[in-house]
Amino acid sequence: MSLVEARRFHRIDMQAQPRIPVAILGATGAVGQRFVQLLEGHPWFEVVALTGSERAVGQKYYQACHWLLASPMPEFARDMLVLPTEPGPLDVALAFSALPAEAARQVEPLYASRGTVVCSNASAFRQEPDVPLLMPEVNPEHTGLVHRQRQNRGWKGYIVTNPNCTISGLTVALKALLQNFGIRRLMIVSMQAVSGAGYPGVPALDILGNVLPYIPDEEEKMEWEPRKMLGILQNDNIALANFEISAQANRVPVAEGHLVCLSVELAQPAEMEAVAQALSGYLAPEVSRELPSAPKPVIQITDQADRPQPRLDIMTGKGMTTVVGRLRPDPIFDYKMVILSHNTIRGAAGGSIYNAELLVKQGLISGGE
Ligand SMILES: NC(=O)c1ccc[n+]([C@@H]2O[C@H](COP(=O)([O-])OP(=O)(O)OC[C@H]3O[C@@H](n4cnc5c(N)ncnc54)[C@H](OP(=O)(O)O)[C@@H]3O)[C@@H](O)[C@H]2O)c1
C-alpha cells in the first residue's frame, strides 16, 4: 500500500470507511503481541504488516513468535510473513512501535521522515521537547507539539510516545488530584511485573521467590515523565508540572500488572471523602472520552482492604482502567493509596492504540495534510 493510497483513508468516517492500514514494529515481543491481540477486529485500524528482528524476518508470524497470551494467536496474524523493520518497501500511514529503545532511536525517525505517524512505546524520544508524551485521558492537548516537531525536523510524519508502563496509572490518579487540590510532592514505590521486562526478560532463577530492588533507568523515568504529562503546553513548549517525585522501583514475581504505592502531599487541604470523589469521578477530557479504547471507568476505587491485587483486578475495564485502593491518611504526607495498572495493555499497546485513536479524532493521523 503506497502512502498516497493510505492517505485516502485518513479523514475517515468513523463508522463506515475502510480501516487505516497499520504496521506493528517489533511484533514478536511482549508488547508487539498485545498489539496483535488488541488490533484484531479494531474498528479503525487494520494490521497490514508485522516486523521483527533479523532472527524472525521471512518466517511466518506463528513460527517467529513465542505467543505468551492466554487467548489464541489471532487468525489474521498467523500466516503473515515477518518483514524487516526498516521502512524500505513498508509504506504505511501508521506504525505502532514495540521496539527496544535503541532500535527505536534508529528506526522511528526513518518512518516519521517518510510520512508515517509513529505511536511508540519506547523511551527513546519521550524526553524530546517537541515529542508528545501522551495519555488521552490525561493530556490530549499535548498533541499540539506535533506541528512543531514536523517543522523542526522537516518530517512529513511524526512520533508520539506513551509513558513508562509503571507510571501510567499513577499519572491518571495524579491528574485527578492535581486538577482538584494541586500537588506539592509525592513519594512512590513500585512493585513491577516480570512481563514489564519483555520476553524472555528476567531469568526465572533471579525472580522466583524473590524481589529485585533495582530496575535500570526506571526511577529516573518515574520521577520525570508524570511531570511532563501533567505539564502545561504554552507556545509549543511543555512547562513541567511544578512538584517533585521520589521513586523506588522493584521487580516482583508477578506475571502482569504494576502496583504503585503512593504517598502524596496536596497543595490544598482536602477531606478524604473529597479525595475519593475526585478519583472515582474523574472523567477523561471530552475529546478522548468516547474513543474505542477509552477506559471505562477511567479510575475505579475499591474500598476492600486487601485490594487492588494484580491477579484479581488487572483486567478491570479490559485492562485500561486504573484501579485505586487503600486510600487513607498519611502521617507525613496527606494521603496514601495503592494504584494498579496493566503494564502491557494500559501501560503499552492499549495506551498506544488509544493515542492513535485520539490522533484520528483530531485529524492528525496523516502527518502530511
Ligand atoms: N513490556 C512492557 O510492559 C512494556 C511497557 C511499556 C513500554 N515497553 C517498551 O516497549 C518496547 C517493547 O518492549 P517488550 O517488552 O515488548 O520487549 P521485547 O519482548 O524484548 O520485544 C522487543 C521486540 O523488538 C524486536 N527487536 C529487538 N531488537 C530489534 C532490532 N534491532 N531491530 C528490529 N527489531 C528488534 C524483538 O524481536 P525478537 O523477538 O526477534 O527479539 C521483539 O519483536 C520497549 O521499548 C519497552 O521499553 C514495554
Side-chain angles (χ1 to χ4, degrees):
M1 162 106 26
S2 74
L3 200 58
V4 174
E5 285 171 311
R7 282 197 170 126
R8 289 209 322 266
F9 292 85
H10 291 155
R11 298 208 177 265
I12 55 171
D13 170 330
M14 290 167 189
Q15 301 303 320
Q17 292 300 306
R19 294 185 292 165
I20 295 170
V22 306
I24 302 171
L25 315 180
T28 54
V31 174
Q33 296 183 27
R34 273 290 175 204
F35 275 117
V36 169
Q37 184 194 51
L38 296 175
L39 287 169
E40 183 182 28
H42 190 282
W44 302 357
F45 306 133
E46 179 178 12
V47 179
V48 297
L50 303 173
T51 85
S53 66
E54 275 178 29
R55 170 195 74 79
V57 169
Q59 296 182 55
K60 291 186 174 176
Y61 185 66
Y62 81 88
Q63 296 166 322
C65 175
H66 179 83
W67 189 252
L68 297 164
L69 303 176
S71 62
M73 180 183 284
E75 277 302 318
F76 82 84
R78 287 184 63 80
D79 288 332
M80 286 177 75
L81 283 185
V82 177
L83 302 175
T85 294
E86 296 65 41
L90 245 189
D91 203 1
V92 286
L94 175 60
F96 290 110
S97 169
L99 294 169
E102 260 177 48
R105 194 166 288 115
Q106 306 301 320
V107 168
E108 291 175 0
L110 300 178
Y111 277 90
S113 66
R114 296 166 70 109
T116 297
V117 174
V118 180
C119 287
S120 175
N121 284 272
S123 60
F125 294 98
R126 288 182 197 147
Q127 295 217 5
E128 299 284 320
D130 57 356
V131 174
L133 183 51
L134 190 65
M135 293 183 73
E137 70 272 56
V138 171
N139 61 343
E141 72 282 3
H142 285 200
T143 57
L145 287 178
V146 158
H147 301 290
R148 174 182 161 198
Q149 186 190 133
R150 289 166 60 197
Q151 228 169 20
N152 281 355
R153 298 171 191 248
W155 290 346
K156 289 190 257 167
Y158 57 89
I159 298 171
V160 164
T161 59
N162 43 313
N164 176 279
C165 44
T166 315
I167 50 91
S168 300
L170 169 80
T171 306
V172 176
L174 291 181
K175 173 73 189 272
L177 299 177
L178 186 67
Q179 73 179 26
N180 282 281
F181 315 110
I183 292 174
R184 283 230 171 86
R185 59 189 181 138
L186 54 117
M187 210 179 83
I188 48 179
V189 177
S190 72
M191 284 163 275
Q192 301 178 217
V194 177
S195 59
Y199 186 80
V202 188
L205 266 182
D206 287 346
I207 193 71
L208 277 178
N210 202 12
V211 171
L212 301 174
Y214 172 63
I215 304 175
D217 301 329
E218 198 77 351
E219 290 169 356
E220 292 78 2
K221 294 174 194 166
M222 292 161 69
E223 290 175 351
W224 190 84
E225 291 182 12
R227 298 183 61 214
K228 180 171 180 181
M229 285 188 287
L230 297 169
I232 293 172
L233 177 67
Q234 282 170 335
N235 306 324
D236 284 345
N237 269 308
I238 306 284
L240 295 186
N242 188 21
F243 53 77
E244 282 186 310
I245 302 176
S246 165
Q248 300 189 64
N250 302 285
R251 183 80 65 200
V252 296
V254 162
E256 291 191 304
H258 291 345
L259 272 178
V260 174
C261 296
L262 162 70
S263 291
V264 60
E265 183 180 323
L266 303 173
Q268 295 166 23
E271 297 294 327
M272 197 160 83
E273 206 171 300
V275 173
Q277 179 54 43
L279 290 164
S280 64
Y282 179 74
L283 294 177
E286 202 165 343
V287 66
S288 313
R289 228 172 264 172
E290 296 304 327
L291 297 172
S293 300
K296 293 193 173 137
V298 180
I299 299 175
Q300 179 159 305
I301 290 240
T302 168
D303 54 10
Q304 280 183 259
D306 60 353
R307 306 282 277 272
Q309 295 179 21
R311 199 164 54 199
L312 301 182
D313 298 308
I314 197 60
M315 286 311 293
T316 306
K318 299 183 180 167
M320 289 296 285
T321 290
T322 295
V323 187
V324 177
R326 304 221 59 224
L327 174 63
R328 59 216 191 276
D330 183 296
I332 296 175
F333 295 79
D334 289 321
Y335 290 101
K336 51 188 168 181
M337 63 196 82
V338 179
I339 300 166
L340 173 69
S341 62
H342 198 306
N343 53 298
T344 61
I345 301 183
R346 181 62 201 87
S352 209
I353 294 168
Y354 191 18
N355 282 351
E357 292 165 357
L358 173 68
L359 296 169
V360 171
K361 176 108 187 250
Q362 293 177 327
L364 285 168
I365 205 67
S366 75
E369 290 164 345

